[in-house]
Amino acid sequence: METLKKLDDSVDLKVLIPRYLSFWKFFVLNTLLSLVIIFTYLRYTETLYVSNTKIEIIDKSQDSEMALPTAMTIFNRSMINLDNEIGRLSSFNLNRRVASELKSNINFFNVGNIKDSQLPGEFFYDNFRLDFKIDTDTISEIRIFEISHNSTQKLNIKTFDQHGNEVNNLVFDNLSTYNSEHELPFNLEIFDKNANIKPTLKKIIFNPFVEYVDSIIRELEFSQMRSSVNSGNGSDQLMVSLTHPNKFIAEQYLNTLVFEYDKDGISDRQQEYKNTIDFVDVRSVYLSKQLDKIENRKQKFKSDNRLADIESDASLTIEKQYDYDSELFKAQSEKDLLDLLLDEINQSKFKLLPVNIGLNNATINELLIQYNLLVKERDRFLATGAGPQNTFIININSQLERFYLNIKNTINNYQASLDIIISNLNQKETEFEDIFKDIPKNEKILRSIERELEVKEALFLLLLQKKEEAAINYAVVKPTIKIIDYARTDKNPIFPRKVYLFSISLFIGLFIPFIIISIWFFFDNKIHTAEDISNISDISIIGEMPYSSDLNSRLLSDVTVSSRDNILESARMMIANLKYIMHEDKSEGKVILVSSSIKGEGKTIISTHISKVLSFTNKKVLLLGADLRNPQIHKYLGIEKESVKGLSDLIYSDKYSLDDLLIKTDNLSVLLSGSIPPNPSELLKSDRFKLIIDGLKKDYDYIVIDSAPCLLVSDTLQIAEYADSSIFVVRSNYTQKNLLRFLNELNTSNKINKICIALNSVGNSSAYGYSYGYSYGYKYGYKYGYNYGYGYGYEEDK
């Protein structure tokens, strides 16, 4: 409450606010001007939009579905370094590929009177064909091509260098450059289907490729998206933003950038598989040669050692050995049987020989059977009594002898063949025993060869498997990113911000006048209202007279007792207040001194109108012009200053009488200042002037003296002793506040009797922040109303 009270004491808002509002035209004009400037700026300045795309980086560590969980995956921590990904997205190499693919260093414009608007290359014309004859990546300096055409089917292309100087001007027929030889870096053809093309002016700018890529990188911005689960941790999602004057171009660039970024990541992953395939191809050739070499060694070893299969060969060798052993055993047994049979034959001549003893020789067995049959036949004949010399017996014995010899020869031959067989079997058995002894050694050597072969084959098969896996992965490699949102552009531009600028404009439109007016108010040292006087001086204020533009042209003769204008009402108010200052019991006429501090404050206006109003009260009133230096009363009488004598002439010369010099109108008499003397102060302090005043007091009820400004000259102080009351005129918006100090000194030093102040020209000009109007109405008596305001300034001294 104390703060509000202090604020209310220091600043009277009821006065201050209307004071500022009196400059409403200035506020409105400045605001409109500011809005017009902002509107013009917005109309022709380049508008910038922000396009955004949102992507999610896919963690490569999660590619394998069979991958074992790690501490990172268990605690849901990403293996992605987003700073590295941002570095890739903002790399020159990646953006170079994007700019090269889009040819975005080639800019297309619609040329306007003040502002050129950029177009996507696809919308340069409604129907056209454009081919570049150069590689746009090699552009190193700015080149500008201005293109115009009209209904005459002429295509005009002007070439400008980077400084705007025209280099070349070419004209082509049929709206096409394809049919002519030229040095332009492009060919353009405009298809005129309607045969009525409106005249247009367009422009193509070739920007240096490297500088353009650097500039586009500077416009890219990256921000990590916050995780919705835990706001403290960032997600694997990135927001990529691009500031550009054309929405379509920015969106196209961002989408291509994301595509190339994904393609680059896929290429990196494919490169791993490609390297794997290449490595397998190279290694496979080497392993294939190694396998051939090892297989040739195996083949040669088996061929040299007549091996098919170690195990089967060993089994076959054993079986063969068993067979040879069995045959050897049979042959040996057969020989033993022959030996036994031969012994039996040698011991048993003409006796039955053993048959079917196990011999496998059918001839011997048959001879034995035939021999035994002859023996039995001989024995039967002998049993019948035939003697040895029997012819039949001799014949049988002869046959037995032949059979006996035949049997022995056959046995001997069979024994010889068995010996050969046994010898061969023994030799074969020896050979198989040697072969069997070499089997472990050959098996070891062959096993070493096969082991090396198996290792090489396993490695070869593994590489072939890896090659197939790499080929499959190369063909179906996973993407490196997931596009959350394709490029989108905010409908409101980031620059200029219309609402923001219009708000700033409105603020400036109001703030600048406020500051200027406040500074003006701060340095304003003029008196404007009666309150300003009261704050500086304790001298009483008897009234205020409003400003009127026709005062200088109005004559006193035009002022009548029935007049009710604001000037006369103010004069009546001053006279009413004077009654409380002057003594009414004085028998002589009352002298009212009207003065001011400096020239131009309006003392003559006050003195003339007070005199006129006093004359309406049936009192004899004299208006005395005591300003002998710059008299002004003649203006209100409508006479020339030099044509009438006055006070100075009366004081200076005895040839003039008072009655001859007075100008009388009803109850008002006027004694002008007369001729301007060289010594006004000496005239006014002379005894002659004193006698004149004393005489006038006896003849008039009121003497109103219009004196000179007392701050500039001492004339007023010379005659102040004759005054019953002194009115000092202060002009609103004209008199400086520090002049009131002079009045305070006069009041405290009693150099002038009963000083009071009249505020003149109130409402002169609203430029000072005051609007002061007077109104007067007649209802149930007189009613005075004052509405305080601003400004008053008219030139009194003309």
Side-chain angles (χ1 to χ4, degrees):
M1 294 297 294
E2 293 180 357
T3 304
L4 292 176
K5 184 177 180 181
K6 291 180 180 179
L7 179 62
D8 185 66
D9 292 340
S10 59
V11 178
D12 190 351
L13 295 179
K14 292 181 180 179
V15 175
L16 189 62
I17 292 176
R19 189 177 183 189
Y20 279 98
L21 290 178
S22 64
F23 292 91
W24 66 270
K25 293 182 180 179
F26 186 30
F27 281 98
V28 171
L29 180 62
N30 191 73
T31 301
L32 290 176
L33 179 61
S34 178
L35 291 175
V36 168
I37 293 174
I38 289 299
F39 178 81
T40 304
Y41 172 77
L42 293 175
R43 174 66 177 82
Y44 295 107
T45 193
E46 185 177 59
T47 303
L48 298 178
Y49 296 89
V50 174
S51 299
N52 303 299
T53 183
K54 188 188 299 182
I55 61 175
E56 180 178 349
I57 311 300
I58 298 176
D59 193 348
K60 290 194 296 184
S61 63
Q62 304 298 325
D63 283 353
S64 176
E65 296 179 357
M66 300 299 293
L68 294 176
T70 62
M72 291 294 184
T73 57
I74 292 175
F75 295 102
N76 196 26
R77 295 179 62 186
S78 174
M79 299 290 291
I80 298 171
N81 189 332
L82 286 182
D83 290 335
N84 293 340
E85 305 304 322
I86 292 174
R88 287 179 55 202
L89 282 166
S90 60
S91 66
F92 179 85
N93 187 43
L94 180 62
N95 285 272
R96 178 189 59 79
R97 294 205 303 269
V98 176
S100 177
E101 179 178 347
L102 297 177
K103 293 181 173 55
S104 52
N105 62 316
I106 310 299
N107 300 143
F108 303 87
F109 293 90
N110 269 336
V111 178
N113 294 328
I114 298 178
K115 176 184 176 183
D116 297 340
S117 56
Q118 187 173 357
L119 297 171
E122 295 86 341
F123 306 136
F124 191 45
Y125 285 100
D126 293 336
N127 192 4
F128 73 104
R129 181 172 61 145
L130 177 65
D131 296 316
F132 294 101
K133 298 164 59 178
I134 63 171
D135 187 356
T136 58
D137 297 358
T138 61
I139 298 174
S140 59
E141 61 180 14
I142 295 177
R143 296 182 67 184
I144 303 172
F145 303 92
E146 193 175 89
I147 304 171
S148 60
H149 65 276
N150 50 42
S151 57
T152 61
Q153 302 293 308
K154 297 290 186 181
L155 184 64
N156 186 20
I157 301 179
K158 295 181 180 180
T159 304
F160 299 89
D161 60 14
Q162 58 184 348
H163 303 293
N165 301 319
E166 184 174 340
V167 178
N168 198 0
N169 187 0
L170 301 176
V171 178
F172 301 92
D173 295 328
N174 300 321
L175 301 178
S176 175
T177 65
Y178 284 91
N179 302 323
S180 303
E181 294 292 334
H182 58 82
E183 296 181 355
L184 294 174
F186 60 88
N187 275 317
L188 173 65
E189 182 176 4
I190 303 172
F191 301 103
D192 180 16
K193 294 183 179 181
N194 300 323
N196 183 20
I197 302 178
K198 296 181 180 179
T200 59
L201 182 61
K202 294 182 180 290
K203 184 165 58 178
I204 302 178
I205 298 180
F206 283 55
N207 294 299
F209 184 77
V210 174
E211 285 78 355
Y212 174 81
V213 174
D214 290 335
S215 66
I216 206 73
I217 291 175
R218 288 193 294 269
E219 297 299 331
L220 288 173
E221 293 184 1
F222 307 91
S223 58
Q224 181 182 9
M225 305 300 295
R226 286 293 180 184
S227 173
S228 58
V229 177
N230 186 356
S231 60
N233 295 328
S235 68
D236 293 338
Q237 295 181 359
L238 274 178
M239 177 78 78
V240 186
S241 303
L242 175 61
T243 302
H244 199 275
N246 189 281
K247 301 178 182 178
F248 182 86
I249 294 176
E251 292 175 0
Q252 186 183 44
Y253 189 90
L254 285 179
N255 288 332
T256 307
L257 176 65
V258 170
F259 173 78
E260 288 293 332
Y261 171 73
D262 187 30
K263 182 179 176 182
D264 183 67
I266 292 175
S267 178
D268 287 343
R269 296 188 183 186
Q270 286 180 329
Q271 189 61 41
E272 298 176 5
Y273 303 124
K274 182 66 170 56
N275 293 339
T276 301
I277 294 172
D278 294 341
F279 171 78
V280 170
D281 288 338
V282 174
R283 193 64 180 171
S284 296
V285 174
Y286 172 77
L287 289 177
S288 179
K289 293 179 180 180
Q290 291 292 315
L291 286 172
D292 290 341
K293 184 177 180 180
I294 296 173
E295 288 177 348
N296 291 333
R297 284 173 55 200
K298 181 179 178 182
Q299 180 183 359
K300 186 176 183 302
F301 178 78
K302 283 188 173 183
S303 177
D304 292 342
N305 294 276
R306 295 192 296 272
L307 298 175
D309 182 71
I310 291 292
E311 293 182 359
S312 60
D313 288 347
S315 298
L316 183 61
T317 301
I318 294 173
E319 289 178 1
K320 289 289 184 179
Q321 192 173 9
Y322 286 158
D323 291 340
Y324 285 127
D325 286 343
S326 177
E327 290 180 4
L328 181 61
F329 176 76
K330 288 179 181 180
Q332 197 72 41
S333 297
E334 193 82 6
K335 184 178 180 183
D336 291 340
L337 288 174
L338 288 176
D339 290 337
L340 291 175
L341 180 61
L342 187 60
D343 290 339
E344 185 65 26
I345 291 173
N346 294 326
Q347 295 175 8
S348 299
K349 190 174 179 180
F350 302 133
K351 290 182 179 179
L352 290 173
L353 296 175
V355 180
N356 296 328
I357 60 176
L359 292 174
N360 292 325
N361 194 307
T363 301
I364 294 175
N365 288 330
E366 184 63 30
L367 289 173
L368 288 175
I369 292 172
Q370 294 294 330
Y371 181 81
N372 286 335
L373 287 175
L374 290 176
V375 170
K376 288 179 179 180
E377 185 69 25
R378 176 179 177 272
D379 288 339
R380 188 174 70 246
F381 275 101
L382 289 176
T384 60
Q389 298 300 324
N390 189 309
T391 305
F392 182 76
I393 292 298
I394 293 172
N395 188 26
I396 291 175
N397 287 333
S398 179
Q399 291 182 3
L400 287 173
E401 285 290 340
R402 290 194 296 271
F403 271 103
Y404 180 78
L405 292 173
N406 195 10
I407 290 172
K408 288 185 68 176
N409 292 331
T410 302
I411 291 173
N412 291 328
N413 292 333
Y414 187 43
Q415 282 182 334
S417 65
L418 286 176
D419 289 336
I420 293 172
I421 291 173
I422 291 171
S423 176
N424 291 334
L425 288 174
N426 287 328
Q427 184 179 355
K428 288 291 183 181
E429 193 174 40
T430 302
E431 291 179 0
F432 279 105
E433 286 179 356
D434 293 338
I435 292 173
F436 186 78
K437 291 178 181 178
D438 291 335
I439 285 176
K441 178 182 178 182
N442 293 335
E443 183 180 13
K444 178 180 179 182
I445 296 172
L446 185 61
R447 185 62 182 164
S448 175
I449 296 173
E450 288 179 344
R451 187 186 305 113
E452 185 179 1
L453 183 62
E454 288 175 0
V455 171
K456 298 295 183 181
E457 284 180 345
L459 182 58
F460 184 74
L461 293 175
L462 177 63
L463 290 178
L464 291 180
Q465 179 183 356
K466 293 299 181 181
K467 179 180 178 180
E468 292 301 319
E469 291 177 356
I472 294 173
N473 290 327
Y474 182 85
V476 294
V477 65
K478 292 183 179 180
T480 59
I481 64 170
K482 178 181 180 181
I483 300 177
I484 307 300
D485 287 323
Y486 285 96
R488 299 174 58 195
T489 305
D490 296 337
K491 63 179 181 179
N492 297 321
I494 189 176
F495 177 85
R497 297 181 179 179
K498 294 183 179 180
V499 176
Y500 175 77
L501 289 179
F502 274 115
S503 301
I504 293 296
S505 174
L506 186 62
F507 174 77
I508 291 176
L510 298 175
F511 183 73
I512 290 180
F514 178 80
I515 292 298
I516 294 175
I517 293 171
S518 298
I519 294 174
W520 191 358
F521 287 167
F522 179 79
F523 289 102
D524 181 22
N525 62 348
K526 303 293 180 63
I527 293 174
H528 303 287
T529 64
E531 183 178 0
D532 294 337
I533 299 174
S534 301
N535 293 333
I536 300 174
S537 176
D538 294 332
I539 301 175
S540 301
I541 302 173
I542 63 169
E544 303 173 4
M545 182 170 288
Y547 169 77
S548 178
S549 59
D550 61 348
L551 282 179
N552 290 333
S553 61
R554 187 170 67 171
L555 301 178
L556 287 178
S557 59
D558 298 332
V559 180
T560 62
V561 68
S562 61
S563 298
R564 289 294 182 268
D565 59 8
N566 292 336
I567 300 297
L568 291 180
E569 294 303 326
S570 299
R572 290 188 178 97
M573 178 65 71
M574 293 180 188
I575 292 171
N577 291 331
L578 279 173
K579 292 180 180 180
Y580 294 99
I581 297 175
M582 296 183 298
H583 298 290
E584 295 293 336
D585 57 348
K586 189 175 181 181
S587 58
E588 295 181 342
K590 302 176 180 59
V591 178
I592 302 172
L593 178 65
V594 179
S595 182
S596 64
S597 300
I598 59 175
K599 173 185 174 182
E601 292 181 300
K603 58 182 179 54
T604 305
I605 296 174
I606 301 295
S607 61
T608 53
H609 283 76
I610 287 178
S611 302
K612 189 67 176 179
V613 172
L614 284 173
S615 66
F616 295 154
T617 59
N618 294 322
K619 300 291 186 178
K620 292 182 65 176
V621 181
L622 173 65
L623 176 59
L624 177 60
D627 187 355
L628 303 183
R629 301 175 184 272
N630 187 23
Q632 298 293 326
I633 297 177
H634 60 278
K635 294 181 180 179
Y636 298 92
L637 299 178
I639 60 178
E640 295 294 332
K641 179 169 59 174
E642 293 83 4
S643 62
V644 180
K645 303 297 181 181
L647 178 60
S648 61
D649 300 296
L650 183 62
I651 297 173
Y652 191 76
S653 176
D654 293 335
K655 66 178 182 178
Y656 298 106
S657 63
L658 181 61
D659 292 335
D660 295 336
L661 301 178
L662 287 177
I663 300 174
K664 296 181 180 180
T665 58
D666 297 329
N667 292 330
L668 177 60
S669 299
V670 179
L671 178 60
L672 297 177
S673 300
S675 302
I676 297 177
N679 52 349
S681 297
E682 294 180 358
L683 291 179
L684 292 176
K685 70 179 181 180
S686 63
D687 295 337
R688 174 78 174 173
F689 178 75
K690 183 177 181 305
L691 292 174
I692 293 173
I693 291 299
D694 291 340
L696 293 175
K697 288 181 180 181
K698 296 177 181 179
D699 296 333
Y700 293 94
D701 297 316
Y702 291 98
I703 301 172
V704 179
I705 301 177
D706 180 33
S707 65
C710 60
L711 182 62
L712 302 178
V713 293
S714 61
D715 298 359
T716 301
L717 299 178
Q718 304 295 335
I719 60 176
E721 57 180 304
Y722 307 120
D724 297 299
S725 178
S726 300
I727 300 175
F728 269 79
V729 179
V730 174
R731 181 176 172 179
S732 177
N733 305 326
Y734 182 82
T735 304
Q736 296 182 1
K737 294 179 180 179
N738 56 5
L739 295 180
L740 293 180
R741 299 176 183 174
F742 173 71
L743 295 181
N744 292 335
E745 292 177 359
L746 293 178
N747 185 38
T748 55
S749 61
N750 295 321
K751 293 181 178 181
I752 300 179
N753 297 327
K754 298 180 180 179
I755 300 177
C756 58
I757 297 175
L759 182 60
N760 182 33
S761 295
V762 178
N764 174 14
S765 175
S766 62
Y768 289 94
Y770 296 91
S771 57
Y772 197 113
Y774 281 81
S775 64
Y776 172 78
Y778 185 80
K779 183 177 181 181
Y780 304 106
Y782 292 103
K783 176 182 178 182
Y784 298 90
Y786 298 88
N787 294 319
Y788 294 92
Y790 301 83
Y792 182 53
Y794 72 96
E795 187 65 27
E796 180 189 50
D797 188 13
K798 290 184 180 179

